[in-house]
Amino acid sequence: MFRSFRSRAVLWFGVLALAVTAALAAQLGRMMSAQLQRDRGEALQVLAQSIGALLAEGLHERLREVELLAHSREVQRLGLDPAAWADELTRLQRSRPHYAWIGVTDAAGTVLAATGNLLVGQSVAERPWFRGAVKGSYLGEPRPGRLPAALPPPRPADDPLRLIDVAAPLRDASGTTIGTLGVHGDWAWARDAIGALRGERQRDTGVQVFIVDRAGRVIHHPAGPEAGAAPAPGEPTPERPRLLRWSDGALHLTAAAPMPARGPHTDLGWTVLVRQPAELALAAAAEAERAVWLAGGAAVVVGMLLAWLLAGRFGRPLAQIASAARRIQAGDLATPIPVSRRSSELEQLSTALSGMTERLVGRERALTEANERLEARVAERTDALATANAALGRLAHLDGLTGLPNRRAADARIDAELARQRRHGGCVALLLVDIDHFKRLNDSHGHDVGDMVLRAAAERLQAGLRESDFCARFGGEEFVVLLPETDPAGARAAAEKLRGAIGLLMPEPVGRVTASIGVAVSCGAEGEPSSLLLERADGALYRAKAHGRDRVELAA
């Protein structure tokens, strides 16, 4: 049905309409994707900047808070009295729940007092926060925490404790550093602040916040399966919001904002990354594209229905003409061609077909007679060609000079004999026979004499073989002999017999001609490939030539 004019017209109309719909949907999708990427990217950028500013302010407040505590008159009054500090630290932690640990050390780094008595009496001289606090105020980066479970509030398994170290020096009235005040702040305050800024709606749309340090390491990430996510290796931090490939292989709309520094101690070089899965960020574009496809598909169906009706009106006369033409083709030459007046083109077509039918009747008779004559001639030539092909097939496997099988026939026979040996076992012997000094004979007496020698050698080889043996001209002055069911001793005896037969006197002016023979025998059910058998026989022939010619050598 898809070969009719009507079907093809409807099909082409549908294809064209679908192409237009696809182009419109793709263009609309691209435009909306670009607009959404700009709009959503700006929103993510604002969120990243807000989080960066909030974190910078929070870190500055915590550093300032510790500095004020360390420099307060109350602290100077307490000095380094561990008993006095124990009560003060308990009160401080009660009023500041985001401090997971607070401790006081002397100038050598020994912990004098601490919340929960953790690390009391131990040295923290090698801790970065102590070394930094001795020189001045210190603010570290988030790190995994290992405090007793009773100190911080309970946490879910996917949200382990992370601490940020803040420390300041303790000085006496003269300004001399007598110790340090160190605080391990719970990083949960930053997670809570980020969650508050992000809001429920952005959480539902897959917005996630990451923080990377100056070296590009992720120091804050969402809890759950995304904990190990990071920008894909080689992806630079985006200067403006764009689609970025992450380590999980997915595309995310990503915005970045550096965390501003409120002072030299809070200039940590952090960058806030806010990402949203591309399919969620650009979901509106995909929905608009689907809507265009639905509307376009409905329009295509309606249009194809109208095209079907219109094509039927104009295609019906063509179908009638085609039906009449088929009857004429079937032999009903009296069938008239219907004439349609709906268009001048159809009228011209029907008139032309009518005239053409009359001419075809006469030509058909002439063609029938010509075909009969041609079929008779083809049959004669087919028989002659079959005869010639059979002769060519025979010649393709025979040597034209000696009448023996040629190299092609020899290769096939060797492969067949070795295959038979692998099936049934036993031995197969292969002899390579080479006429000695044949080139000198050719140069001395001419090629006609050389051809006579080759024919005589072929006759003597054939005469000395059994019916089951096989002899072929292998090329030049070389012959190959295949002896089935022949062990090494029998092969050597047969080779000596053939060497003696060739060594008889030839007619003048040749005289005595000798041959060297290399013998290789394959025994056992496993057998060996024909190439290896020929190689071994050739090596034996080479030894026979090297040892003086007119001799038989058996391959190892």
Side-chain angles (χ1 to χ4, degrees):
M1 66 176 288
F2 291 105
R3 294 176 59 86
S4 68
F5 167 77
R6 188 179 194 183
S7 299
R8 291 190 176 187
V10 173
L11 183 61
W12 278 110
F13 177 84
V15 170
L16 180 61
L18 282 175
V20 172
T21 301
L24 288 174
Q27 183 64 21
L28 179 62
R30 282 194 296 268
M31 291 173 59
M32 288 200 66
S33 293
Q35 184 63 41
L36 282 170
Q37 188 171 336
R38 285 194 296 271
D39 294 344
R40 292 298 304 150
E42 290 176 2
L44 295 180
Q45 185 74 38
V46 169
L47 178 59
Q49 292 170 347
S50 300
I51 291 174
L54 180 65
L55 291 177
E57 184 65 29
L59 292 174
H60 178 73
E61 287 180 1
R62 275 146 186 78
L63 179 62
R64 186 61 180 158
E65 189 175 37
V66 172
E67 288 176 340
L68 291 174
L69 285 171
H71 300 158
S72 67
R73 293 181 179 178
E74 179 66 20
V75 168
Q76 292 182 0
R77 182 186 63 80
L78 295 174
L80 295 179
D81 183 4
W85 269 109
D87 295 336
E88 181 65 19
L89 294 181
T90 301
R91 183 186 64 78
L92 284 174
Q93 188 175 45
R94 197 176 293 126
S95 62
R96 294 168 176 82
H98 52 272
Y99 288 171
W101 180 86
I102 311 172
V104 175
T105 73
D106 60 15
T110 301
V111 178
L112 302 176
T115 54
N117 289 323
L118 182 64
L119 300 179
V120 172
Q122 299 182 27
S123 175
V124 293
E126 298 301 320
R127 303 285 178 93
W129 63 267
F130 174 79
R131 294 201 304 267
V134 171
K135 301 174 184 178
S137 298
Y138 174 83
L139 176 66
E141 296 188 354
R143 61 178 179 80
R146 299 186 63 183
L147 296 177
L151 289 182
R155 295 173 174 277
D158 60 353
D159 184 19
L161 174 65
R162 304 186 75 200
L163 302 175
I164 184 165
D165 299 330
V166 186
L170 297 176
R171 295 187 175 96
D172 58 15
S174 64
T176 302
T177 300
I178 61 173
T180 63
L181 174 63
V183 171
H184 297 337
D186 191 345
W187 180 250
W189 70 269
R191 188 181 299 277
D192 295 340
I194 291 171
L197 275 179
R198 186 174 53 163
E200 290 293 335
R201 185 176 182 278
Q202 289 182 327
R203 274 197 294 271
D204 294 341
T205 55
V207 175
Q208 296 175 326
V209 179
F210 294 79
I211 301 175
V212 296
D213 62 12
R214 201 188 307 272
R217 295 186 297 267
V218 177
I219 60 176
H220 172 81
H221 50 72
E226 291 83 5
E235 289 284 1
T237 301
E239 297 180 358
R240 55 184 179 80
R242 67 181 179 91
L243 290 175
L244 191 70
R245 183 76 61 183
W246 283 63
S247 59
D248 56 6
L251 275 177
H252 291 78
L253 182 59
T254 307
M259 189 184 76
R262 291 291 308 277
H265 298 296
T266 58
D267 185 12
L268 301 177
W270 294 357
T271 301
V272 180
L273 295 177
V274 181
R275 75 173 191 178
Q276 184 178 21
E279 64 272 13
L280 295 178
L282 308 179
E287 291 177 2
E289 191 171 348
R290 281 194 296 271
V292 172
W293 272 109
L294 289 175
V300 167
V301 171
V302 174
M304 291 178 69
L305 184 59
L306 292 176
W308 177 266
L309 298 175
L310 290 174
R313 176 175 175 80
F314 290 100
R316 193 172 298 111
L318 289 175
Q320 293 172 351
I321 293 174
S323 177
R326 283 195 295 271
R327 290 198 296 273
I328 294 173
Q329 182 185 21
D332 188 2
L333 301 180
T335 302
I337 299 295
V339 178
S340 174
R341 307 293 181 182
R342 291 186 177 180
S343 66
S344 59
E345 290 84 356
L346 286 175
E347 185 175 0
Q348 292 173 8
L349 176 63
S350 59
T351 302
L353 286 175
S354 179
M356 184 174 62
T357 301
E358 294 177 0
R359 290 193 296 273
L360 286 175
V361 171
R363 291 182 180 180
E364 184 180 6
R365 294 194 184 95
L367 283 174
T368 300
E369 295 175 0
N371 283 337
E372 291 175 354
R373 291 194 298 272
L374 181 61
E375 287 175 358
R377 294 174 65 183
V378 167
E380 294 175 0
R381 294 187 179 183
T382 300
D383 294 341
L385 182 61
T387 303
N389 284 337
L392 285 175
R394 289 191 300 273
L395 291 175
H397 291 80
L398 292 178
D399 177 54
L401 177 65
T402 63
L404 293 176
N406 59 14
R407 173 69 177 267
R408 181 184 301 174
D411 288 339
R413 180 64 179 268
I414 293 170
D415 288 339
E417 192 60 38
L418 289 176
R420 185 202 63 77
Q421 179 212 358
R422 282 192 291 271
R423 289 194 303 270
H424 303 294
C427 295
V428 175
L430 187 141
L431 284 59
L432 281 181
V433 182
D434 188 86
I435 305 299
D436 294 331
H437 302 298
F438 186 77
K439 183 178 184 304
R440 187 169 64 191
L441 187 149
N442 258 344
D443 294 341
S444 301
H445 303 290
H447 290 286
D448 290 342
V449 172
D451 291 347
M452 179 193 71
V453 170
L454 290 175
R455 284 192 293 269
E459 292 173 359
R460 294 176 182 183
L461 286 173
Q462 283 282 72
L465 295 177
R466 302 169 299 182
E467 288 187 5
S468 60
D469 298 336
F470 175 81
C471 180
R473 186 183 178 191
F474 214 51
E477 68 275 19
E478 195 171 55
F479 298 86
V480 63
V481 176
L482 195 64
L483 306 175
E485 300 297 335
T486 303
D487 58 15
R492 175 177 284 278
E496 292 289 354
K497 176 183 175 182
L498 295 176
R499 183 185 65 80
I502 294 175
L504 297 175
L505 288 176
M506 294 283 182
E508 292 294 336
V510 179
R512 187 171 184 271
V513 174
T514 63
S516 299
I517 302 177
V519 181
V521 181
S522 174
C523 295
E526 293 185 0
E528 60 184 298
S530 59
S531 58
L532 181 58
L533 188 63
L534 284 167
E535 183 179 342
R536 293 200 298 119
D538 188 63
L541 176 63
Y542 179 80
R543 290 197 303 275
K545 292 284 188 181
H547 293 162
R549 296 182 172 84
D550 191 19
R551 60 186 295 118
V552 174
E553 287 288 343
L554 185 65

